[in-house]
Amino acid sequence: MTAGVVRTRLTALLLVLGTTLGAALAVLGGSAGPAQAAASGGYRYWSFWESDGGAWTYATLGPASARPADGDVIGFRFSVSEDSRDSAKPRHPADSFGAVCGGTPAGAGAKRIAVVIDPGTAADAPEGERPPARRTACARTGADATAADALANVAKPLRYDSTALLCAISGYPDKGCGEQVSGREETPRSPTSATGAGSGEDDGGGPSAGLLVGLAAVFALGAAGVWQARRRRG
């Protein structure tokens, strides 16, 4: 067998190995995606938002620490999310101070804060509960009031857990507080931060990409060794 024929057959073998590896990785990627999606989860909770004048931004402080100024707009949205990056924003314009508080006069030693309350969708609601309608209200508070004070001014009763996580606004939801949601399974658990954390673990089984790559490398090295041996004999 000539060296040219050996090289041709080696090239064909490597092409077959490459195609097989690509197909295996594609299958692995297709099966790992749904497994990760099924395993990943989020938390059902009230997120806190602030307006920068034209858009909603996820608050860096909790409602009990943030102190809005007169003319500010704050928002609360109930939803299921893993963290601040995928958390749902309030479905109301962030620049709505005039529309919400336009009819509320300013007062000495007081401030007006537009409060947007969005209980989310039916998909976000705990089992057996239905989200109430979205609403806005103008909170007139003392000059040193926090966002939590403004919320309490217009949306009692509020419910908090032992870690000061906001659990319910105006009694919604009736129960639960920051529970973890994964598929249809719910595990009561209060996240220690405002954003919570997702499970995001993949336990789908099956060969890993590293294993497939390693096997392909072994096959390729073996083929190269055969070619070298035949070349020396030729």
Side-chain angles (χ1 to χ4, degrees):
M1 183 180 295
T2 66
V5 172
V6 172
R7 284 195 297 271
T8 300
R9 292 187 175 182
L10 175 60
T11 300
L13 175 60
L14 292 176
L15 286 174
V16 170
L17 287 172
T19 302
T20 303
L21 175 61
L25 289 174
V27 171
L28 178 64
S31 62
Q36 285 185 328
S40 67
Y43 290 88
R44 180 183 285 123
Y45 69 102
W46 282 100
S47 56
F48 173 43
W49 300 79
E50 297 171 322
S51 169
D52 63 3
W56 291 111
T57 60
Y58 199 93
T60 56
L61 295 176
S65 300
R67 298 185 185 277
D70 180 68
D72 281 353
V73 181
I74 60 175
F76 297 86
R77 171 68 192 265
F78 189 75
S79 66
V80 175
S81 61
E82 293 191 37
D83 52 39
S84 60
R85 291 173 297 179
D86 74 335
S87 187
K89 298 179 180 181
R91 295 168 296 170
H92 191 84
D95 58 348
S96 56
F97 178 79
V100 177
C101 289
T104 303
K111 59 184 178 183
R112 297 161 301 162
I113 303 167
V115 181
V116 174
I117 302 170
D118 185 347
T121 67
D124 295 319
E127 184 177 358
E129 296 196 55
R130 183 184 299 273
R134 289 176 279 167
R135 66 189 183 95
T136 61
C138 185
R140 186 173 177 179
T141 68
D144 197 42
T146 65
D149 295 330
L151 181 63
N153 184 276
V154 299
K156 289 180 179 179
L158 304 179
R159 178 164 56 88
Y160 292 87
D161 73 356
S162 60
T163 65
L165 180 71
L166 179 61
C167 302
I169 297 177
S170 297
Y172 179 79
D174 181 60
K175 57 183 180 297
C177 190
E179 62 268 22
Q180 189 175 17
V181 179
S182 179
R184 293 186 178 181
E185 297 180 0
E186 300 181 8
T187 304
R189 176 179 172 185
S190 295
T192 57
S193 67
T195 59
S199 57
E201 297 179 357
D202 181 13
D203 191 23
S208 66
L211 176 60
L212 292 175
V213 172
L215 289 175
V218 171
F219 287 137
L221 288 174
V226 171
W227 175 67
Q228 289 287 355
R230 290 184 177 181
R231 184 180 182 184
R232 285 195 296 269
R233 289 199 299 270

